[in-house]
Amino acid sequence: MPKPVHIAQISDLHIKPPGSLAYGRVDTAAALARCVTALNAFRPRPDFVVISGDLADTPTAGEYQHLQRLLAPLKLRFAGIPGNHDSRELMRAAFPQAYAFPSGPLNQRVEIGGLDLLLLDSSAPGKPHGELDAPTLQWLDAVLASSADRPALVFLHHPPFATGVGHMDRQNLRNAGELAAIIRRHPRVRSIATGHVHRATLTTFAGVAATICPAPNHAVDLDLAELREPSFKVEPPAFHLHSWFPGDGFGDVVTHQVPIGDFDGPHPFFGPDGRLL
């Protein structure tokens, strides 16, 4: 019987130079260190970690060097894709992985057991919004067409849907319709996982479950009434764990939100006699 595959997703690390705070308040390096500790301790051991964008903040080569040091204790395989705060060139130099193209978008295909992870570069260099360029869309369509029976999880930084947080929605994926057309052609896509908004969010896109991963540091203010200027809050940090369970068709994917930190428990529900405590 095939075993489940567990994919951890972390997002929006916003690593700055050593000693610097994001927005003058948030120690993103310390937040990532706590996240790495949580990932290493989690059981069952995740099979892979996807970092879905905004790995650096400015970005600079020094920030990526700091990020490399912070990720060094991570005992799990990982891959990252750019967000709007990243540099493709600096990321490629810092993390020389098996990218689909020798230059340009940092797309990747990662095979984990019976599961394909398709990592899409939605960054539009120099712009806050997202866009999947023509080579990326063609690559995605071709990779999805290359197998008829392997389930796939698609990751990108910019959500292809509106969240209701107006200042973030103006920065989402501009050509979501082109992505939707490809997803609808390939039923082996089981979920779409994004970042960018620093909040745990769930919806459907092109008939597929779509999520936004929370951040390990700070959250975008959930100001659906647009009462305030664009703001952030320091809320409980978390990461997502996408668990794929083999089964009929392309199996099932369940996404768990995993809080980062030390919390009271776990405490048993039942005593030694089997009675509810």
Side-chain angles (χ1 to χ4, degrees):
M1 186 78 177
K3 294 182 178 180
V5 175
H6 303 287
I7 307 299
Q9 180 190 3
I10 63 177
S11 196
D12 298 274
L13 311 182
H14 288 275
I15 296 304
K16 298 183 72 66
S20 298
L21 302 179
Y23 313 107
R25 288 180 174 270
V26 183
D27 189 341
T28 54
L32 177 56
R34 290 191 294 268
C35 182
V36 167
T37 298
L39 288 168
N40 285 338
F42 192 84
R43 296 295 182 272
R45 186 184 181 90
D47 296 283
F48 199 81
V49 179
V50 174
I51 310 176
S52 54
D54 285 358
L55 284 71
D57 190 63
T58 306
T60 65
E63 289 177 347
Y64 287 108
Q65 291 167 3
H66 191 28
L67 175 62
Q68 288 174 315
R69 292 190 293 269
L70 291 165
L71 289 174
L74 182 62
K75 300 175 182 178
L76 307 169
R77 292 176 57 202
F78 71 90
I81 45 178
N84 51 291
H85 281 256
D86 288 306
S87 159
R88 287 174 174 173
E89 293 75 18
L90 294 176
M91 266 192 69
R92 188 184 292 272
F95 301 100
Q97 298 170 340
Y99 300 110
F101 305 146
S103 62
L106 305 186
N107 304 314
Q108 296 183 65
R109 175 185 181 178
V110 180
E111 296 183 7
I112 305 292
L115 185 66
D116 284 346
L117 309 182
L118 303 181
L119 281 57
L120 308 181
D121 182 348
S122 63
S123 65
K127 306 291 185 182
H129 67 265
E131 187 169 359
L132 298 172
D133 64 13
T136 293
L137 291 168
Q138 293 164 5
W139 175 82
L140 174 64
D141 200 22
V143 168
L144 286 171
S146 68
S147 175
D149 57 1
R150 287 178 63 85
L153 310 185
V154 172
F155 292 85
L156 67 160
H157 180 67
H158 295 84
F161 53 85
T163 65
V165 181
H167 68 98
M168 298 303 295
D169 289 343
R170 289 190 285 274
Q171 300 178 17
N172 64 7
L173 189 72
R174 291 287 173 87
N175 58 338
E178 293 178 272
L179 175 61
I182 294 173
I183 298 300
R184 290 192 177 99
R185 284 200 293 272
H186 301 285
R188 74 184 187 103
V189 175
R190 301 300 291 131
S191 72
I192 300 167
T194 71
H196 190 55
V197 187
H198 294 233
R199 299 205 67 87
T201 306
L202 169 66
T203 187
T204 57
F205 174 79
V208 175
T211 59
I212 299 174
C213 184
N217 37 52
H218 54 283
V220 170
D221 183 22
L222 189 61
D223 181 18
L224 300 180
E226 299 189 5
L227 299 175
R228 296 173 289 279
E229 294 297 315
S231 305
F232 69 91
K233 299 176 73 174
V234 180
E235 297 181 358
F239 65 89
H240 271 172
L241 187 76
H242 307 286
S243 297
W244 173 69
F245 298 93
D248 294 339
F250 295 107
D252 296 300
V253 177
V254 176
T255 296
H256 300 273
Q257 180 170 321
V258 184
I260 298 169
D262 295 320
F263 305 96
D264 188 22
H267 302 291
F269 288 112
F270 302 94
D273 59 358
R275 294 187 178 185
L276 189 67
L277 293 173

